[in-house]
Amino acid sequence: MGELLDHTRHRKLADSIEKMLCSGEAVLPAEPLAFVKAEVRADSELLRTAYKTTVVVMAREHAQIRLGCIRFYQYLFLRSALFRELAVLDFQTMVELCIGVDDVNKPLPPPKRFARELRTEALRFVQLAHGKFGGDYKQVDLAHTFLRRRHKVDFEATQEASRAEQDATVRRAAAVVRQHADNCRKVQAELGRWQLEIERSLDELTAAFPLAVPDITAEQDAGSAASASESDEELDDGQLVIDALERLAPVSAQAAAAAAAAAA
């Protein structure tokens, strides 16, 4: 029973990591990340599962998925000594999958935009890891030297490019916020345009409704002496309600359509 529960826990962790890495979001989703953090802190074997799952997902032929992987890989690498020990045993795999040192046989997968971002992010990570742990882990130092000498990587320029990409991301997010605010203003303007017409139709409906719904008690007192002309008057009063409703319906529909179009 205990082994089954343990297997279930590992499977749930692996599924959560896979879902998080494949989400395509610009940053790691907060809710699954919090769950993963709690799990890997609780058990070193779960941390091993986290490492294995990350490397497996990283091998998928999709640059955006690999981008999520390198961000999570970096997150744990900088915080966990055990994760670093696991990672440096096969550090070259990360370099090949995320930086692309063999453009002929092992190029980075599409989409191209994410491939460029992936390479920049991975190079920035190698530079950061080398600055913090290069003296402790020979594999990190070798990878940094290999990229700098063999592939002529300018890590300083890479850092500048990374900062430029981060600035661009901030600008894109700000543009989205501005567009949302502009849409909200359009919705308010459209609703205000129809407000007076809606209020007028509602006033007519309110005035006509008592005429169309007779007082039952008064009707009983009056008996059955109502004439055909009185019936006609009741029909006329009912028609007032119908007319008011007919005027209100298209106005409300137009206001709703205008608001929906502005929100879109």
Side-chain angles (χ1 to χ4, degrees):
M1 186 65 177
E3 292 182 359
L4 178 61
L5 290 174
D6 188 60
H7 175 75
T8 301
R9 190 176 182 185
H10 281 264
R11 184 68 264 165
K12 183 178 180 181
L13 174 64
D15 290 344
S16 297
I17 291 174
E18 182 177 0
K19 182 178 179 180
M20 176 177 65
L21 299 182
C22 298
S23 67
E25 297 187 25
V27 295
L28 296 173
E31 186 174 345
L33 180 60
F35 168 74
V36 171
K37 285 166 57 179
E39 288 293 272
V40 299
R41 286 172 180 170
D43 190 333
S44 61
E45 290 304 314
L46 290 171
L47 181 60
R48 294 178 187 275
T49 295
Y51 170 75
K52 292 177 183 177
T53 303
T54 304
V55 174
V56 168
V57 176
M58 188 183 288
R60 295 187 183 179
E61 293 295 318
H62 197 291
Q64 191 174 14
I65 292 177
R66 292 189 186 183
L67 182 59
C69 290
I70 191 60
R71 286 169 176 163
F72 182 59
Y73 187 100
Q74 172 179 291
Y75 180 89
L76 291 180
F77 190 96
L78 297 177
R79 290 165 174 79
S80 169
L82 176 57
F83 190 92
R84 288 194 293 274
E85 291 173 4
L86 295 171
V88 296
L89 293 176
D90 197 16
F91 203 70
Q92 183 64 23
T93 295
M94 183 280 299
V95 172
E96 292 176 355
L97 293 175
C98 297
I99 295 177
V101 294
D102 187 350
D103 292 335
V104 176
N105 298 312
K106 294 181 180 180
L108 294 178
K112 289 184 178 181
R113 179 172 73 86
F114 290 106
R116 290 192 296 270
E117 191 175 348
L118 169 64
R119 189 173 192 274
T120 299
E121 188 84 10
L123 287 172
R124 189 188 69 82
F125 162 62
V126 171
Q127 173 76 342
L128 181 61
H130 180 262
K132 285 181 172 291
F133 309 108
D136 299 326
Y137 300 104
K138 183 179 179 181
Q139 294 87 340
V140 175
D141 185 56
L142 289 175
H144 186 272
T145 301
F146 170 76
L147 291 168
R148 181 168 50 84
R149 294 181 179 177
R150 180 72 177 272
H151 291 273
K152 309 301 180 183
V153 173
D154 186 344
F155 283 99
E156 294 298 326
T158 298
Q159 284 185 321
E160 290 298 326
S162 179
R163 282 192 287 268
E165 179 62 30
Q166 290 173 355
D167 291 342
T169 300
V170 171
R171 288 194 296 270
R172 286 194 294 269
V176 171
V177 172
R178 287 194 299 270
Q179 183 62 45
H180 180 70
D182 185 55
N183 288 343
C184 289
R185 286 192 293 268
K186 288 180 180 179
V187 169
Q188 291 176 339
E190 292 295 335
L191 290 177
R193 182 181 303 174
W194 297 105
Q195 183 176 359
L196 292 177
E197 185 65 24
I198 292 173
E199 289 178 351
R200 186 179 69 82
S201 297
L202 286 174
D203 289 341
E204 291 180 2
L205 179 61
T206 301
F209 191 75
L211 300 176
V213 183
D215 189 328
I216 296 177
T217 302
E219 190 175 280
Q220 289 175 344
D221 292 340
S224 59
S227 64
S229 61
E230 290 174 337
S231 299
D232 292 339
E233 289 177 0
E234 289 182 4
L235 291 175
D236 292 340
D237 293 336
Q239 188 62 40
L240 290 174
V241 177
I242 294 173
D243 292 343
L245 287 173
E246 288 178 346
R247 285 194 297 272
L248 179 60
V251 170
S252 300
Q254 290 173 359

